[in-house]
Amino acid sequence: MSDRSAGGSAGDAAGERPEVWAEAVVAGLDAARAAERALADALGPAMSLKEEKAQRRAEAVRAAAMGLGAAGCASAAGVSERLLESWRAEDPVFDAALSAARSLAHVHDVVPDVASNPAVLKMALDAILGGVPFIAAGALVGVKRDTFYRLRRGNPRLGALFGAAQNARRRSASPGRKRKAELKGYRLVRLDASESPRTDPAA
C-alpha cells in the first residue's frame, strides 16, 4: 500500500471526513484480498503443496525483513507459529533465511511501526479483515495493547482505518460464513491433522 493510496490525494479529498477516506481504502484492500483468493483458486489445481509452501515461506521471510517477530511472520505466511517453527526445524536454509532477514532489519533499524510503515499497517488491516480481533492484530505486528489503543485514539486516520476494517468484517461475517471460515485452514495443516496418506512427501 503506497503513501498515495493510504494518505495522499484520497485523504485530502475526504477533508474533515476520514471515515469516508478509510472506507474507500479498506474496500480496496478487501477487493485485493478477494482477487488474490480468486487467483489462488484459479491456479490451485496446478499448484503443488511444495510450491504453495515455498510461497508461504517467502512471505514469512518478507515479514521478518520488516522487523516482525514470529507471530507476524506466521500471520504473513498464513500459518500457525507452531507450523512456522516446524518449518524452521526441518529446513536449515529457510531457518537461515528468516534469521538473516531479521538481522537485516535490525542492522538497518527497520522497526515494524504500524503508524509509519504502510506494509505493517496493511498487515494489521488484512488481519482484521480476516477475522482477527483488534488487539490480536496489534500483537501480530508487535504492538502492545495500550499502545495500539493509543494509536487508534490519537491518530484520526488510523482510527478510521481500523474502524472501517472492523465494520467491513462485521458486514461480511454472517453466522454461516463465520463457521465456514473456522473450517477453512491451510491445506498442510488439514492434511497433517487427518494423517492423509496422500500428503506431499516434500511438505
Side-chain angles (χ1 to χ4, degrees):
M1 184 172 63
S2 67
D3 290 341
R4 179 176 296 274
S5 62
S9 58
D12 295 337
E16 296 181 355
R17 298 187 62 191
E19 295 82 7
V20 175
W21 163 80
E23 290 287 348
V25 173
V26 169
L29 291 177
D30 209 15
R33 284 163 48 84
E36 288 178 2
R37 288 193 297 269
L39 291 174
D41 289 342
L43 297 177
M47 182 184 295
S48 69
L49 291 176
K50 183 177 180 180
E51 290 168 333
E52 183 178 350
K53 184 159 65 172
Q55 289 187 5
R56 291 178 181 270
R57 287 181 172 181
E59 290 300 324
V61 171
R62 179 175 179 271
M66 291 191 295
L68 292 169
C73 292
S75 177
V79 300
S80 67
E81 287 186 62
R82 182 177 180 181
L83 182 55
L84 183 70
E85 287 304 313
S86 73
W87 284 354
R88 298 189 69 177
E90 73 188 21
D91 188 340
V93 176
F94 171 63
D95 182 54
L98 205 61
S99 297
R102 286 176 175 167
S103 297
L104 183 68
H106 177 73
V107 168
H108 292 282
D109 298 319
V110 177
V111 178
D113 187 355
V114 72
S116 63
N117 188 323
V120 177
L121 175 58
K122 180 180 182 297
M123 180 178 291
L125 293 172
D126 278 342
I128 294 172
L129 287 170
V132 175
F134 175 71
I135 291 303
L140 288 177
V141 294
V143 183
K144 294 181 179 179
R145 179 189 182 97
D146 292 344
T147 302
F148 210 37
Y149 273 121
R150 282 199 299 272
L151 284 172
R152 180 171 190 165
R153 291 193 299 265
N155 186 320
R157 287 192 175 181
L158 280 181
L161 284 170
F162 291 136
Q166 289 176 307
N167 290 339
R169 177 59 187 174
R170 280 192 288 267
R171 286 193 298 267
S172 66
S174 63
R177 292 188 63 175
K178 284 182 180 179
R179 179 58 181 164
K180 184 177 180 180
E182 290 171 0
L183 295 175
K184 184 178 180 181
Y186 181 35
R187 286 192 296 163
L188 290 179
V189 173
R190 292 207 308 271
L191 287 171
D192 290 344
S194 62
E195 296 182 357
S196 170
R198 293 180 294 174
T199 301
D200 189 335

